[in-house]
Amino acid sequence: MMFRFASPYFLFLLAIVPATLWYSRRRIKASAIACADTTGLAGISSSSMLWLSKLVPVVFQIALVLMIVAQARPQWGTRRMSMDTEGINIMLAVDLSESMAALDFKHNGQVINRLEAIKKVVQQFIAGRKGDRIGMVVFGSQAYTQLPLTRDYTTIITMLEHLKIGSAGRSTAIGDALGIALKRLEDIKSRSNVIILLTDGSSNSGEFEPLAAAAIAREAGVKVYTIGVGSKGRAPFLINDPVFGKRYVYQAVSIDEKTLQEIADETGGLYFRAKDMDGLREIYTTIDKMEKTKVKVDAFAEYKDLYPNLLLAAFGLLGVWVVLQNTRFLRIP
């Protein structure tokens, strides 16, 4: 909501208001009746009408102010914006296999698993996009669409927050995830299509070979950015042992970096390795800069004139002033 004066230079006329008030008071003093001795009048209390008579010039001054402000054309408007953008399509392919439970990331001094680290960084990435359509595919032993392409970023972040490790199976079907992501990108045409694949393992499940899916992506003009998440060797996991309860165990983990690099090279994308939160943030910052969307914003405002109300009030006060000046508070001369 916005307020403005369409002709603000008329406000300079407000300078004459003090002058008219000074002239009015001087005229009242000049018209006073001269009296040689006021001793006999000392015990007479002043009438309340005398005080009210002093307000009559004020009524005129207020009316004058309202008329001047009305000339400046005060307006109340609503600011509107129209966005014209050729947003790109981005599909997130997120690994939910059991290895994503490895506790080799830290956030604010607290140890978190790989999926939680991905959630925090991806949320920031989504919040920074403007005009792009973003969708999500999740995969484990199977791959399925979690959310089709949309510009409803709030919904995307909410769906991301509800992802759970193991909900798509224990294994890793990278090829199937790429295939479904490509299918979703066909739903809505765009000048640019991107897949961001996040995984911490090697493809050991599914019906589609990762490199075969990469070849199809290349033919379709889709770039695939691959991100290998986590450390190599052994990583800590929190398990619930039926005998000893919750405890930490170290298990062997591995990332098929060779395949991830080949997928990225095949499609014109890049491969990144994320070993910690800072590295993961830097990766998404790099992708964000490389896949920027040009957004053209046209701003305009619709205004409603308020001066008719001011003039109505001013004429009403003038009418009251004229009546009072010529009746109860008539001054002679």
Side-chain angles (χ1 to χ4, degrees):
M1 305 299 289
M2 301 174 62
F3 177 82
R4 73 168 189 178
F5 288 100
S7 305
Y9 296 110
F10 279 99
L11 295 176
F12 288 113
L13 294 176
L14 291 173
I16 69 174
V17 175
T20 59
L21 184 61
W22 172 82
Y23 175 77
S24 176
R25 290 180 177 179
R26 182 180 180 184
R27 181 172 174 272
I28 291 174
K29 290 182 180 180
S31 61
I33 300 175
C35 184
D37 186 8
T38 60
T39 303
L41 303 176
I44 301 176
S45 60
S46 60
S47 171
S48 59
M49 289 296 105
L50 178 62
W51 293 102
L52 289 176
S53 67
K54 296 179 180 180
L55 296 179
V56 175
V58 176
V59 173
F60 175 79
Q61 304 301 323
I62 294 174
L64 181 61
V65 168
L66 290 176
M67 286 189 289
I68 293 173
V69 173
Q71 287 295 318
R73 289 187 61 195
Q75 297 177 328
W76 183 261
T78 303
R79 181 181 175 88
R80 301 182 184 275
M81 301 179 69
S82 64
M83 181 180 293
D84 181 20
T85 176
E86 297 180 358
I88 65 178
N89 291 339
I90 301 175
M91 285 300 300
L92 302 172
V94 183
D95 189 349
L96 298 183
S97 61
E98 289 188 341
S99 57
M100 292 293 287
L103 298 165
D104 51 1
F105 278 81
K106 285 187 178 181
H107 177 66
N108 294 333
Q110 183 180 1
V111 177
I112 59 175
N113 63 42
R114 295 171 177 180
L115 180 59
E116 291 302 319
I118 287 173
K119 287 181 180 180
K120 296 182 183 302
V121 176
V122 172
Q123 285 175 357
Q124 296 174 1
F125 173 76
I126 293 172
R129 305 302 295 184
K130 293 181 180 180
D132 299 326
R133 300 181 190 91
I134 301 177
M136 192 184 333
V137 170
V138 295
F139 64 97
S141 301
Q142 302 84 32
Y144 58 88
T145 303
Q146 182 76 6
L147 192 69
L149 289 167
T150 179
R151 286 194 176 104
D152 186 353
Y153 297 159
T154 302
T155 298
I156 300 171
I157 292 174
T158 301
M159 296 294 288
L160 182 69
E161 187 62 35
H162 285 81
L163 295 183
K164 292 183 178 181
I165 295 171
S167 60
R170 303 176 60 180
S171 303
T172 307
I174 294 177
D176 290 2
L178 290 176
I180 293 178
L182 288 170
K183 183 63 177 176
R184 294 286 74 84
L185 289 173
E186 292 179 356
D187 296 340
I188 302 177
K189 300 300 180 183
S190 174
R191 67 176 179 84
S192 181
N193 295 287
V194 173
I195 296 175
I196 302 177
L197 174 69
L198 302 105
T199 183
D200 68 342
S202 57
S203 187
N204 54 16
S205 181
E207 300 179 358
F208 215 20
E209 288 295 328
L211 294 181
I216 296 174
R218 183 198 63 209
E219 294 296 327
V222 177
K223 276 195 278 187
V224 181
Y225 292 96
T226 56
I227 302 175
V229 182
S231 58
K232 285 184 178 180
R234 295 168 62 83
F237 289 80
L238 179 63
I239 65 170
N240 192 5
D241 192 288
V243 178
F244 300 101
K246 289 185 178 180
R247 63 191 182 94
Y248 292 96
V249 297
Y250 280 80
Q251 297 179 5
V253 292
S254 63
I255 301 175
D256 187 358
E257 291 191 275
K258 181 176 181 295
T259 299
L260 295 179
Q261 182 70 66
E262 289 176 352
I263 292 172
D265 292 342
E266 180 76 12
T267 60
L270 294 172
Y271 167 66
F272 301 95
R273 179 72 188 284
K275 298 179 181 180
D276 52 36
M277 287 292 290
D278 291 337
L280 196 54
R281 291 192 188 96
E282 186 176 345
I283 289 167
Y284 271 93
T285 300
T286 301
I287 296 175
D288 187 56
K289 291 178 179 178
M290 295 178 66
E291 300 294 340
K292 273 296 183 185
T293 302
K294 293 183 179 179
V295 180
K296 179 183 178 182
V297 178
D298 294 323
F300 61 95
E302 296 178 352
Y303 291 98
K304 179 181 179 182
D305 281 309
L306 301 179
Y307 73 86
N309 297 328
L310 296 180
L311 287 178
L312 184 64
F315 291 147
L317 289 175
L318 279 177
V320 171
W321 177 75
V322 170
V323 171
L324 293 177
Q325 281 285 90
N326 291 277
T327 54
R328 184 66 179 81
F329 299 105
L330 177 66
R331 291 183 179 275
I332 303 174

